[in-house]
Amino acid sequence: MATADLNKLQQILANAEENEAVIGQIRKNMTKVADLIAEINTMLEPGYKPAAKERKPRAASTGTGKRPGRPRKSEAAA
C-alpha cells in the first residue's frame, strides 16, 4: 500500500515539474502577445504614419563581369 502511495506521489511531482515548464513558456509567449497587441494599438491610432524604411546600398561589384544565376541554354544543345 505504501509503495502505491509513493509511486503516486512521484507521479504528482513529475507532473508538477512539467506543468511548471509549460507555465513558464506560456508566460514568455503572453509577454510577446502583449507587446504585439500594444504595437497594433499604436498602428490603429488615427494619426499613425509608418516610418520610411531606409534601404541599404547595393554591394559593390566584384568586377568579374558575369551575372549571378543559371547560365542560358544554348540553342545547339536543345
Side-chain angles (χ1 to χ4, degrees), residues 6-65:
L6 287 176
N7 289 337
K8 194 159 199 139
L9 183 60
Q10 287 176 338
Q11 197 174 31
I12 289 171
L13 289 174
N15 288 340
E17 289 175 1
E18 290 176 17
N19 291 341
E20 201 60 39
V22 170
I23 288 173
Q25 289 175 346
I26 289 172
R27 285 186 180 134
K28 286 180 186 178
N29 290 335
M30 284 303 294
T31 56
K32 289 179 183 179
V33 168
D35 291 342
L36 291 173
I37 288 175
E39 191 175 326
I40 289 172
N41 284 335
T42 58
M43 292 170 83
L44 294 176
E45 289 178 358
Y48 175 77
K49 291 186 179 180
K53 192 174 184 180
E54 271 189 51
R55 297 188 127 207
K56 295 180 181 176
R58 289 187 172 202
S61 69
T62 57
T64 59

